[in-house]
Amino acid sequence: MAQREELTRFLKAARGRLAPTDVGLPAGERRRTRGLRREEVATLAGMSVTWYTWFEQGREVQLSAAMIERLGKALRLEPQEREFLFALAQHRPPPLTGRADEAVRPSTQQLMDSLSIPALVIVEDWTVVGWNALVTQLFRDYAPLPREERNLFRILMLNERYRADPERYREMARRLVARFKWDYSRTAQPQVFETLIAEMQQSSDLFREYWEAAEIRSHFEDVNSATLPDVGEIAFHHTSYAIEEVPGQRLILFAPADDASAAKLRRLAAEMA
């Protein structure tokens, strides 16, 4: 009940701070209060007055994500307010909007550079936009690659380097596609994904197989490895974390999977210092 009461307070406050002229409506007659009326909000959001009234009153009314988006635009909500509205109305984050910001914040780059493990940043469609020196040394140098060649999903699925062990590759592909399907389901701009999906359907039998499967994953953790001539094989356990200040960006960290790998990584980091 408390959340529904908060939803009511939030919506009343949001419409109360807007005048008709703020949203392109005629000023009309003098009002006792400055805010928009419920019927005006409903009109702007493309909803029935009754439906909006019930929603604002906190009744058991379920709105689709699209309707909540329209309501947020009608009320001129800021990004954080939009997230708050989705949290109160659907108990989940809102869908990602548009192409994610691809600029890596200086604080994020500083964090990656200060780490003694590989770290990189990807955006919604898995394009790599940031990395540290250990990623360049152990995996690949993304700097000279154009954007379309920095897609981590394409690299992992198509690069021959990952196919040496067929069983290991099949398991990795299953997990990758299950997570990629989850990201695709959440996007507000599916066209960001669809060119890559079409390419993968032409290029990868495993992608076609797992794309048709029912499995999805809301997170992705796995073990991978890198081999350097003078260092040997280093095994990593990698996990990803949302970067709160930039919706759509994820930080992927590669931690040594065992003591031997940790010792090799420390030696490599010391040589690079």
Side-chain angles (χ1 to χ4, degrees), residues 46-63:
M47 302 167 58
S48 75
V49 176
T50 300
W51 205 248
Y52 174 74
T53 300
W54 287 353
F55 183 63
E56 186 184 282
Q57 290 174 343
R59 298 193 191 185
E60 293 289 343
V61 173
Q62 299 298 321
L63 300 188

Side-chain angles (χ1 to χ4, degrees), residues 10-218:
F10 177 70
L11 290 172
K12 285 183 177 179
R15 68 180 174 87
R17 69 191 179 191
L18 294 173
T21 53
D22 293 334
V23 294
L25 296 176
E29 72 279 6
R30 291 180 58 85
R31 302 177 181 223
R32 288 178 294 178
T33 59
R34 179 177 181 271
L36 296 177
R37 297 188 176 104
R38 285 172 175 164
E39 56 267 28
E40 291 169 333
V41 173
T43 298
L44 291 168
M47 302 167 58
S48 75
V49 176
T50 300
W51 205 248
Y52 174 74
T53 300
W54 287 353
F55 183 63
E56 186 184 282
Q57 290 174 343
R59 298 193 191 185
E60 293 289 343
V61 173
Q62 299 298 321
L63 300 188
S64 67
M67 292 179 73
I68 295 175
E69 291 283 19
R70 294 199 303 269
L71 181 57
K73 290 178 181 178
L75 293 172
R76 305 290 178 91
L77 298 184
E78 297 293 331
Q80 287 187 337
E81 293 174 325
R82 171 178 171 267
E83 291 189 25
F84 189 62
L85 176 59
F86 268 91
L88 291 175
Q90 294 193 337
H91 309 293
R92 68 175 182 86
L96 297 174
T97 56
R99 171 161 287 182
D101 184 351
E102 298 191 359
V104 176
R105 298 296 190 267
S107 58
T108 302
Q109 187 64 54
Q110 184 180 20
L111 169 64
M112 290 193 293
D113 291 341
S114 70
L115 296 173
S116 57
I117 60 175
L120 57 80
V121 175
I122 63 174
V123 292
E124 183 183 8
D125 69 347
W126 294 43
T127 297
V128 176
V129 296
W131 55 90
N132 64 8
L134 280 168
V135 165
T136 300
Q137 187 72 19
L138 286 161
F139 302 131
R140 65 190 52 82
D141 185 3
Y142 289 97
L145 300 179
R147 185 189 189 279
E148 61 271 17
E149 295 180 20
R150 285 188 275 114
N151 186 275
L152 189 59
F153 186 79
R154 178 190 288 111
I155 290 169
L156 294 173
M157 289 292 296
L158 299 182
N159 194 307
E160 290 296 329
R161 168 182 175 181
Y162 301 100
R163 302 190 185 195
D165 183 338
E167 289 304 314
R168 171 66 178 154
Y169 172 66
R170 171 174 281 275
E171 176 62 18
M172 180 189 74
R174 181 180 67 83
R175 291 170 177 265
L176 284 171
V177 175
R179 174 58 203 248
F180 193 74
K181 288 169 69 175
W182 171 263
D183 290 343
Y184 177 61
S185 73
R186 296 184 67 244
T187 185
Q189 289 198 335
Q191 64 270 23
V192 172
F193 287 77
E194 285 168 356
T195 299
L196 179 58
I197 292 170
E199 176 190 344
M200 297 303 302
Q201 287 176 329
Q202 292 293 321
S203 305
S204 173
D205 293 338
L206 277 184
F207 178 84
R208 289 195 300 274
E209 176 184 344
Y210 291 132
W211 190 253
E212 296 299 324
E215 182 180 8
I216 59 170
R217 286 177 176 265
S218 61

